[in-house]
Amino acid sequence: MKHSNNTKYEKLSQARADKCYEDSVGSPESGSINLSEVDEHYMWLITNEASTLGTEEVAARLRTDLRTGLRWREAELRRQLTGYNELTVKEEEPTWKKYIEQFKNPLILLLLASAGVSVCMKQFDDAVSITVAILIVVTVAFVQEYRSEKSLEELTKLVPPSCHCLREGQLETFLARNLVPGDIVHLNVGDRVPADIRLFEAIDLAIDESSFTGETEPSNKITAPILKSNGHSSMKNIAFMGTLVRCGNGKGIVVNTGEKSEFGEVFKMMQAEEAPKTPLQKSMDILGAQLSFYSFCIIGFIMILGWFQGRPILDMFTIGVSLAVAAIPEGLPIVVTVTLALGVMRMAKRNAIVKKLPTVETLGCVNVICSDKTGTITKNEMTVTVIVTSDGYLAEVSGAGYNDQGEIHIHKCDSVDRARESIYTLLEVGCVCNNAVIHSDTLLGQPTEGALLAAGMKHGMYGVADKYVRLQEYPFSSEQKMMAVKCVPKYGDNKEETYFVKGALEKVLQQCTKYLINGTVQPLNAKKEQEYLAEAYEIGRKGLRVMGMARGSSLQDLVYTGLVGICDPPRPFVRESIQTLVQSGVKVTLVTGDAQETATAIASMIGLDTIHSQVLSGDQIDSMTDHQLEQIVNSVSVFYRVTPRHKLCIVKAFQRNGMIVGMTGDGVNDGVALKKADIGIAMGKNGTDVCKEAADMILVDDDFHTIISSIEEGKGIFYNIRNFVRFQLSTSIAALSLIALSTLMGIPNPLNAMQILWINIIMDGPPAQSLGVEPVDKDVTKQKPRNVKEPMITKSLILNVLLSALIIIAGTLWVFKREMSDNVITPRDTTMTFTCFVFFDMFNALSCRSQTKSVFTVGLLSNKMFLLAVTLSVLGQMLVVYFPPLQKVFQTEALTLTDILFLVSLTSTVFVVSELKKFMERHLEKRQKSFKSELDFV
Ligand code: ADP
Ligand code: MG
């Protein structure tokens, strides 16, 4: 599963590459290109050398054009030479070696040894039986482990990085793996550098190289060649692959890609590093160790007792070791991993990419979500709908999308021409102080800026920005909430420098000393300023985002030209999603850089309580002590005018209150808060690479609803794991106790070694695994967030385990006793007990599908995997009982239909009892609830 956008890019660029390829080479079949011919023309550059050369020379050496980049065909040829721009992790061990590894398990070795002893004692039948059983056990374990590894591998492929690259004069966005030396790449704030790049433009560019150099201060980049490079930190004109752009922007030529990049080796090491275990995996490991210890004690006891009773030593030994193989749930950690990994895959299908397995567990515990407004709660499809100029002309704008479809409707006024002129002056600021591009109705850049361009187009203003030459840019930041550019007119003699400024109204007004009225400039007084702020308030109250515009000859001395109101409607279903969350006890808060009115208006649109709960601004957070914030934070529903720094305070305050926090973010500076949050959630579409790097989870579609889907999955997975733990524990305990009891009572063993191994396969194998993929129960998702400290193994779980185990033991022993009444042990007797145990286990698995609900409510057929696994197990059992070669291995005998019917009706009791217990518990709970509500009523 890939990032949907990227797949699109990939397809697009692949299609383009194919097309260009065909255009120039003819159809692919017409003959292959002679690669060596191309090769001769290239002089590949070492990154080191590139930094000492001028950019023109680097471009010449790499045969590329700084303004247009490579041609698609050329890039494709180069890619065939250099390979994809990616790092492959170290060669893996061959599969057969991994298979052999499985035999290194000490228990398996012991079993093999006992087979060897059997050979020595000329008991060839036994030897063959044990060997075949071992082979089956090892193969099943191997397949399981292989699957778990494969699914973990898939995880690392979920977020392929993309890049902005110039090809044939067009700026394109595609997967970074398609980059080749000579490509011209654009870098923006928050990007991850996609290859080793020799910079030829660096505006305020600072790059975080801490992942390699350990240097926490970002490195300021330049474009001039350096005299002599000694060490990476001296190569100030190179952006290294895998580093992060913290500030500014730049352009450069790709010098080296993939393994050839400077940090290729370091990267490889980092990729090969093993993922840390999740808390759940750790507790499963502990559980496994404890179980092993007890099993060993019991098995030791059985063997010693058997020895005293004078049973054949070799038999006792084989049975002991098989019991150890069966009772020790060595499959448990694997099943847990596979279940988690499969859950992550399912989440990816629902557009949430989880980067690390532990996140899945934490998801079910989240009890407060702090969500961005723009893009997550709202659609981030911005449209200017209102314009108010500084001289009081009011216009409404119709139309939607990034195109010129729509009208600017000017409200009644004395002079329409004057109004149009004022609007032009205002929108000119918006279009010049702008980094977005609208290209055949699609937007490249920020939606806010696209909205301004579209408004300009509706006013007949095309290519306004081209009338100016930009000298400098002060980029927008969430802290400043403003953007400014310094320009001079491109044509004419007038070369006067002008600043164009747009941003949050109160910030822009702070920089203004004058305002524009009918083409003349008037000094701005406090009264006028209040008037403008009041206008902004009225517009903001409708949920519109307000942006002020100003221009002038100095940044401290600007002329205010007016404001626009930008509409960004809430996403569909956000209201419903929030309702579900709130009902299940999760708190939702809105965190935004927007103004109070806008934030509260949107909050009430999506059903957040803004009347009874508080609204807090970034400045207020600043003025509070940690303790004060901690006390108030639980009752806040909207945080407005906040910066990334405040997000961190909010996360910390919630956490001090013992909450598990999910925090969303998109900007470069959100990284810290995302790291600190229990679940950092990055935006996949509009988020920067920096915050994706810091996050635990990425929303591919930026949609708030996706957060809920992943919480649902997270909760579901935990319950599923609990279900199969219950199943495995009860089987394990039953098998152990069965043998222990029969030894104690001095009767022959009801199961032989091979049969015990067979039971182990069923217990660790497909049926257990399929319990892990049980579809998420809708009622589970309505439950309260789980307490992080709540253990997996609860009292009620143990009770259930013991109950099932008890029934299985009693039933199996009874069958054995009944069969053995003639006092001789025939294969028929063990076959009956063996089949009885396996059937018990199947019914037990069935009732383990839900802890509280009847299997009939859950749906008998709703888990296809489970059906398949059980069918296969039963078929396997039939083969073992009826298929002569296997009969020999497992020492079984064919049973009659009556036998089978008898066993089925007997073994179904474990299912019936468990269902009855669940029924009674549900009934009791209902009674308690109604009793409670009666009490409340009184
Ligand atoms: P959020 O993402 O939480 O909605 P932002 O931090 O993006 O908030 O924006 C906060 C304020 O900054 C907005 O209300 C707007 O006035 C201003 N703003 C947003 N984007 C830009 C931009 N590209 N240029 C100038 N000002 C902007
Ligand atoms: Mg934003």
Side-chain angles (χ1 to χ4, degrees):
M1 265 123 294
K2 277 197 191 117
H3 190 304
S4 66
N5 277 330
N6 285 335
T7 323
K8 202 175 77 198
Y9 292 140
E10 190 177 39
K11 276 197 192 127
L12 198 72
S13 56
Q14 194 59 50
R16 257 200 211 126
D18 289 348
K19 188 174 170 300
C20 303
Y21 183 89
E22 279 172 35
D23 283 353
S24 42
V25 203
S27 83
E29 294 92 53
S30 72
S32 64
I33 345 124
N34 188 351
L35 286 182
S36 59
E37 197 180 275
V38 189
D39 201 3
E40 276 175 2
H41 293 231
Y42 290 127
M43 242 337 278
W44 301 116
L45 267 176
I46 309 170
T47 311
N48 220 321
E49 191 185 351
S51 77
T52 61
L53 300 176
T55 46
E56 290 300 332
E57 195 176 351
V58 174
R61 288 276 292 274
L62 290 171
R63 302 175 139 251
T64 185
D65 187 315
L66 295 186
R67 278 153 304 140
T68 60
L70 295 175
R71 300 182 59 81
W72 283 95
R73 175 181 128 79
E74 174 69 18
E76 174 60 20
L77 292 181
R78 290 190 188 192
R79 212 218 68 236
Q80 291 182 20
L81 279 176
T82 56
Y84 283 108
N85 174 30
E86 55 194 5
L87 302 156
T88 40
V89 186
K90 278 242 155 48
E91 260 310 288
E92 279 194 46
E93 277 184 38
T95 315
W96 62 267
K97 248 193 184 160
K98 283 189 187 162
Y99 185 74
I100 299 292
E101 289 282 304
Q102 294 286 332
F103 287 94
K104 289 197 182 144
N105 177 339
L107 287 174
I108 298 289
L109 287 180
L110 279 178
L111 274 181
L112 280 175
S114 79
V117 177
S118 303
V119 173
C120 296
M121 296 176 69
K122 304 231 170 358
Q123 296 175 349
F124 294 115
D125 279 2
D126 273 5
V128 171
S129 296
I130 296 175
T131 318
V132 171
I134 294 173
L135 279 179
I136 298 179
V137 168
V138 165
T139 310
V140 170
F142 169 73
V143 170
Q144 293 256 54
E145 207 155 289
Y146 187 77
R147 262 189 67 199
S148 122
E149 255 171 41
K150 277 280 165 268
S151 39
L152 284 181
E153 246 169 55
E154 286 293 305
L155 294 188
T156 58
K157 295 183 195 149
L158 283 177
V159 240
S162 60
C163 65
H164 311 288
C165 174
L166 204 60
R167 290 244 175 115
E168 296 186 6
Q170 286 270 3
L171 190 59
E172 308 274 353
T173 305
F174 52 77
L175 289 187
R177 72 196 286 262
N178 293 320
L179 281 182
V180 291
D183 262 330
I184 306 298
V185 167
H186 288 209
L187 298 174
N188 289 313
V189 179
D191 282 354
R192 169 192 249 280
V193 179
D196 280 359
I197 290 168
R198 169 70 169 90
L199 297 162
F200 63 83
E201 190 180 307
I203 301 168
D204 229 359
L205 186 66
I207 295 189
D208 176 355
E209 290 168 358
S210 57
S211 51
F212 305 117
T213 56
E215 188 68 52
T216 43
E217 266 309 293
S219 151
N220 292 310
K221 294 296 179 183
I222 53 167
T223 57
I226 55 167
L227 270 180
K228 187 168 165 280
S229 88
N230 44 4
H232 294 125
S233 44
S234 72
M235 290 195 245
K236 288 260 173 222
N237 50 20
I238 303 281
F240 295 106
M241 178 159 172
T243 53
L244 297 164
V245 182
R246 283 279 163 201
C247 169
N249 52 50
K251 294 174 186 163
I253 312 166
V254 172
V255 184
N256 275 310
T257 57
E259 322 254 314
K260 285 220 182 69
S261 65
E262 281 298 296
F263 293 110
E265 281 306 311
V266 186
F267 246 125
K268 255 189 180 170
M269 264 155 51
M270 296 208 315
Q271 280 194 333
E273 206 177 309
E274 224 170 280
K277 288 203 165 165
T278 78
L280 194 62
Q281 283 173 317
K282 277 187 207 148
S283 66
M284 285 299 128
D285 283 353
I286 296 175
L287 180 70
Q290 282 170 345
L291 282 176
S292 314
F293 176 73
Y294 293 127
S295 315
F296 269 123
C297 293
I298 295 175
I299 292 165
F301 169 74
I302 294 175
M303 282 166 70
I304 294 172
L305 200 66
W307 184 52
F308 274 122
Q309 290 172 350
R311 299 179 189 225
I313 291 196
L314 185 60
D315 271 8
M316 283 317 291
F317 179 71
T318 337
I319 288 200
V321 182
S322 324
L323 251 189
V325 174
I328 293 168
E330 75 280 1
L332 199 55
I334 298 179
V335 187
V336 171
T337 311
V338 173
T339 306
L340 289 174
L342 288 179
V344 170
M345 291 302 180
R346 274 202 307 279
M347 286 186 199
K349 274 199 200 122
R350 294 171 79 174
N351 283 332
I353 290 172
V354 169
K355 288 180 17 192
K356 290 178 211 99
L357 288 184
T359 313
V360 181
E361 291 162 37
T362 323
L363 270 172
C365 307
V366 169
N367 45 24
V368 51
I369 291 178
C370 306
S371 173
D372 262 352
K373 176 178 74 69
T374 311
T376 315
I377 299 278
T378 66
K379 288 183 173 167
N380 210 6
E381 285 165 15
M382 308 243 182
T383 327
V384 173
T385 54
V386 186
I387 299 176
V388 187
T389 64
S390 52
D391 35 12
Y393 295 110
L394 176 68
E396 273 170 38
V397 188
S398 64
Y402 304 105
N403 52 47
D404 56 5
Q405 311 282 303
E407 298 277 323
I408 297 197
H409 176 77
I410 300 170
H411 272 224
K412 250 199 212 122
C413 62
D414 31 355
S415 161
V416 176
D417 286 340
R418 272 241 158 296
R420 287 190 62 86
E421 218 167 282
S422 295
I423 291 174
Y424 184 95
T425 320
L426 166 67
L427 287 180
E428 191 179 36
V429 178
C431 294
V432 175
C433 178
N434 199 314
N435 284 329
V437 187
I438 293 180
H439 193 75
S440 56
D441 291 359
T442 47
L443 170 73
L444 273 172
Q446 285 181 19
T448 315
E449 300 194 329
L452 288 168
L453 288 184
M457 283 154 71
K458 288 171 192 166
H459 201 53
M461 303 160 67
Y462 297 90
V464 192
D466 295 337
K467 292 183 183 152
Y468 293 91
V469 178
R470 191 185 284 191
L471 301 178
Q472 195 163 19
E473 174 188 337
Y474 305 85
F476 169 77
S477 77
S478 311
E479 284 84 6
Q480 308 287 335
K481 301 206 183 337
M482 267 202 298
M483 168 180 172
V485 293
K486 182 163 82 173
C487 296
V488 291
K490 199 183 252 174
Y491 313 107
D493 303 328
N494 179 7
K495 287 290 174 221
E496 203 182 331
E497 288 179 357
T498 314
Y499 288 91
F500 295 89
V501 180
K502 73 176 198 304
L505 188 70
E506 64 266 30
K507 302 276 180 187
V508 171
L509 280 178
Q510 267 172 23
Q511 312 295 321
C512 291
T513 51
K514 306 182 197 82
Y515 68 98
L516 204 63
I517 174 160
N518 295 333
T520 58
V521 171
Q522 294 279 324
L524 184 69
N525 53 26
K527 185 166 157 277
K528 203 72 197 165
E529 211 173 312
Q530 282 310 314
E531 235 179 86
Y532 291 139
L533 287 171
E535 277 168 13
Y537 180 80
E538 282 307 317
I539 293 172
R541 262 196 359 180
K542 297 184 193 125
L544 300 184
R545 144 182 282 220
V546 178
M547 192 120 69
M549 312 281 157
R551 57 200 292 169
S553 52
S554 146
L555 268 184
Q556 276 69 45
D557 185 24
L558 293 171
V559 183
Y560 176 68
T561 61
L563 57 84
V564 297
I566 300 177
C567 172
D568 179 19
R571 283 174 178 272
F573 308 119
V574 164
R575 212 188 154 90
E576 289 79 358
S577 308
I578 289 184
Q579 240 164 22
T580 325
L581 277 180
V582 171
Q583 271 162 12
S584 70
V586 180
K587 183 182 166 56
V588 179
T589 63
L590 192 71
V591 181
T592 179
D594 247 333
Q596 178 177 9
E597 316 80 69
T598 315
T600 37
I602 296 282
S604 54
M605 276 184 220
I606 55 166
L608 284 183
D609 182 4
T610 47
I611 300 161
H612 300 98
S613 54
Q614 306 208 31
V615 187
L616 211 62
S617 76
D619 290 341
Q620 281 169 307
I621 293 179
D622 280 338
S623 66
M624 280 183 199
T625 62
D626 282 356
H627 185 68
Q628 280 172 324
L629 183 60
E630 206 175 300
Q631 299 224 298
I632 179 173
V633 77
N634 280 18
S635 59
V636 179
S637 63
V638 175
F639 297 94
Y640 66 95
R641 285 291 189 236
V642 296
T643 67
R645 189 167 47 83
H646 298 124
K647 283 191 176 177
L648 184 64
C649 298
I650 297 170
V651 169
K652 282 184 176 164
F654 273 124
Q655 283 177 339
R656 279 197 302 269
N657 284 341
M659 311 276 263
I660 307 296
V661 191
M663 167 69 86
T664 67
D666 53 6
V668 232
N669 300 323
D670 288 337
V672 195
L674 292 190
K675 270 243 159 79
K676 179 73 193 160
D678 299 275
I679 305 252
I681 306 165
M683 299 300 136
K685 258 198 220 154
N686 292 313
T688 51
D689 292 345
V690 171
C691 75
K692 286 182 203 166
E693 197 97 329
D696 302 297
M697 187 168 113
I698 299 171
L699 302 184
V700 175
D701 52 2
D702 293 11
D703 192 343
F704 185 78
H705 186 76
T706 308
I707 303 180
I708 310 233
S709 320
S710 50
I711 289 187
E712 279 178 9
E713 286 286 350
K715 281 185 182 169
I717 288 170
F718 187 85
Y719 284 91
N720 285 346
I721 290 180
R722 186 174 270 176
N723 288 346
F724 69 67
V725 166
R726 173 179 160 191
F727 169 67
Q728 290 194 316
L729 277 185
S730 44
T731 316
S732 175
I733 291 179
L736 263 181
S737 323
L738 196 64
I739 308 289
L741 278 178
S742 55
T743 318
L744 260 181
M745 296 191 296
I747 51 175
N749 274 324
L751 300 169
N752 64 34
M754 284 64 75
Q755 294 168 347
I756 293 174
L757 289 178
W758 177 253
I759 287 170
N760 172 57
I761 295 169
I762 290 183
M763 183 180 86
D764 281 346
Q769 184 72 80
S770 67
L771 282 175
V773 293
E774 188 73 35
V776 174
D777 179 356
K778 280 278 166 258
D779 283 348
V780 163
T781 60
K782 284 191 199 128
Q783 284 180 18
K784 279 216 160 60
R786 180 169 47 88
N787 186 342
V788 226
K789 298 200 183 89
E790 182 192 325
M792 169 121 247
I793 314 283
T794 55
K795 265 207 193 103
S796 79
L797 183 86
I798 294 180
L799 215 68
N800 281 327
V801 165
L802 290 181
L803 184 69
S804 320
L806 206 72
I807 298 173
I808 297 179
I809 297 164
T812 316
L813 272 183
W814 181 62
V815 168
F816 187 53
K817 261 268 189 286
R818 217 179 76 125
E819 292 299 322
M820 234 187 32
S821 44
D822 47 3
N823 264 331
V824 263
I825 296 232
T826 56
R828 186 198 138 75
D829 302 349
T830 45
T831 310
M832 277 299 274
T833 23
F834 173 41
T835 315
C836 172
F837 193 97
V838 170
F839 281 6
F840 259 132
D841 227 26
M842 294 293 110
F843 278 112
N844 185 23
L846 186 62
S847 65
C848 281
R849 284 182 55 201
S850 172
Q851 302 281 342
T852 50
K853 281 192 172 173
S854 154
V855 168
F856 302 104
T857 331
V858 175
L860 213 49
L861 306 178
S862 60
N863 185 347
K864 298 274 175 314
M865 279 299 287
F866 181 80
L867 277 184
L868 190 70
V870 168
T871 316
L872 283 182
S873 305
V874 172
L875 270 180
Q877 181 66 21
M878 291 300 133
L879 279 179
V880 166
V881 175
Y882 294 105
F883 185 50
L886 285 178
Q887 277 180 340
K888 251 190 133 166
V889 172
F890 290 91
Q891 294 165 9
T892 52
E893 207 179 87
L895 300 176
T896 65
L897 188 64
T898 343
D899 287 336
I900 297 283
L901 286 179
F902 163 73
L903 286 179
V904 169
S905 43
L906 172 73
T907 52
S908 58
T909 48
V910 71
F911 173 70
V912 173
V913 168
S914 149
E915 287 294 312
L916 275 178
K917 182 164 174 279
K918 284 192 234 171
F919 177 77
M920 262 152 42
E921 280 167 353
R922 280 198 303 272
H923 198 68
L924 268 179
E925 200 178 333
K926 228 191 248 158
R927 281 264 304 271
Q928 258 169 8
K929 255 191 201 153
S930 63
F931 185 62
K932 233 191 208 159
S933 54
E934 261 171 51
L935 271 186
D936 286 349
F937 191 69
V938 175

